[in-house]
């Protein structure tokens, strides 16, 4: 006990102050993309040809964050003349179409369903399902339980049983072999329930887009309430999405 108290005194308070204060992220982090409005069509086409995810809409000069894996290729080859990735991690949306953006995103709090806030505002229990994920999105969800993020202080927890949960958090491209297990888990959650799609793979199929072995978008099989883009989404992106949409 004395050693525990000694360590606590030496280490001090380690939990981040978010959402009261917005912490700085690592300089190389790529968050919300900003499209340069005066970019030439030739430059847009060059970036679109190089994009491994086909995430650039040439006609609209926008980026689909649901497909984007934030590799930064378009920023590098255009030297920032087409797009610049900012350090803004607050990029979740309640509508999939809003992920196609030139940098502007609707205020998530204004688009959240108010009955969710009434139902789950003080306690939100979630069941996480990795539907053939690579473990990147899963790892950045798991880290929310560490003392630095301390998700439980907001009344949000991940639980072992879907019967004890208020919703489901899905990661991975939803492979053919995981689809039945996912749907069974969803059915086991009592109504009313929420569905959260985390990561590019879950939202659109990610790098596996076009494969017959995966589901190209969770919203094609389940009603999705919250989309959290990224590959993987930063833990603060997940935290912002949950706090803003439900609290």
């Amino acid at each position: 006990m004395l050693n525990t108290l000694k360590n606590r005194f030496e280490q001090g308070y380690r939990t981040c102050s978010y959402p009261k204060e917005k912490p700085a992220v690592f300089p190389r982090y790529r968050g919300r993309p900003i499209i340069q409005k005066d970019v030439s069509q030739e430059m847009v086409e060059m970036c679109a040809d190089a994009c491994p995810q086909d995430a650039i809409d040439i006609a609209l000069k926008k980026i689909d964050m649901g497909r984007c894996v934030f590799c930064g290729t378009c920023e590098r080859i255009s030297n920032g003349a087409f797009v610049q990735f900012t350090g803004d991690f607050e990029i979740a949306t309640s509508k999939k179409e809003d992920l196609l953006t030139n940098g502007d995103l609707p205020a998530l709090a204004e688009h959240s369903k108010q009955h969710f806030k009434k139902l789950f505002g003080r306690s939100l229990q979630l069941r996480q399902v990795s539907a053939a994920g690579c473990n990147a999105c899963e790892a950045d969800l798991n880290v929310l339980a560490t003392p630095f993020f301390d998700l439980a202080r907001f009344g949000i927890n991940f639980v072992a049983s879907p019967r004890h949960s208020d919703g489901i958090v899905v990661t991975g491209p939803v492979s053919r072999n995981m689809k039945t297990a996912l749907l069974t888990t969803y059915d086991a959650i009592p109504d009313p329930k929420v569905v959260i799609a985390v990561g590019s793979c879950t939202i659109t199929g990610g790098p596996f887009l076009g494969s017959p072995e995966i589901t190209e978008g969770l919203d094609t099989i389940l009603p999705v309430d919250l989309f959290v883009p990224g590959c993987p989404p930063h833990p603060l992106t997940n935290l912002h999405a949950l706090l803003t949409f439900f609290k």
Side-chain angles (χ1 to χ4, degrees), residues 20-155:
K20 290 183 179 180
E21 297 179 7
K22 194 173 181 179
V25 294
F26 195 73
R28 289 190 295 175
Y29 168 74
R30 299 188 187 99
R32 180 171 57 91
I34 300 294
I35 302 296
Q36 308 304 313
K37 296 181 180 180
D38 58 349
V39 64
S40 68
Q41 193 67 23
E42 181 182 2
M43 180 64 74
V44 177
E45 292 175 359
M46 182 175 68
C47 292
D49 289 339
C51 180
Q53 291 298 112
D54 194 24
I56 298 174
D57 189 307
I58 297 175
L60 298 177
K61 294 184 180 180
K62 292 184 176 183
I63 288 183
D64 186 349
M65 291 196 301
R67 289 191 177 189
C68 182
V69 293
F70 297 80
C71 65
T73 298
C74 53
E75 184 179 35
R76 288 194 298 271
I77 65 175
S78 69
N79 197 27
F82 168 56
V83 60
Q84 293 179 352
F85 287 93
T86 70
D88 185 5
F89 53 80
E90 298 179 342
I91 56 176
T93 66
S94 60
K95 296 179 181 178
K96 190 175 183 179
E97 55 265 29
D98 289 335
L99 293 173
L100 181 62
T101 180
N102 58 9
D104 296 328
L105 293 173
L108 182 59
E110 296 176 4
H111 288 259
S112 62
K113 299 176 181 177
Q114 294 304 312
H115 69 280
F116 284 164
K117 292 180 181 291
K118 183 177 180 180
L119 288 170
F120 308 127
R122 298 184 65 182
S123 175
L124 180 66
Q125 312 302 311
L126 299 170
R127 167 64 176 166
Q128 198 274 316
V129 174
S130 176
C134 70
N135 205 39
C137 291
E138 294 82 352
D140 279 352
L141 283 170
N142 288 341
V143 78
L144 293 178
T146 62
F148 181 77
F149 296 103
D150 193 13
L151 183 64
R153 64 190 159 125
F154 302 108

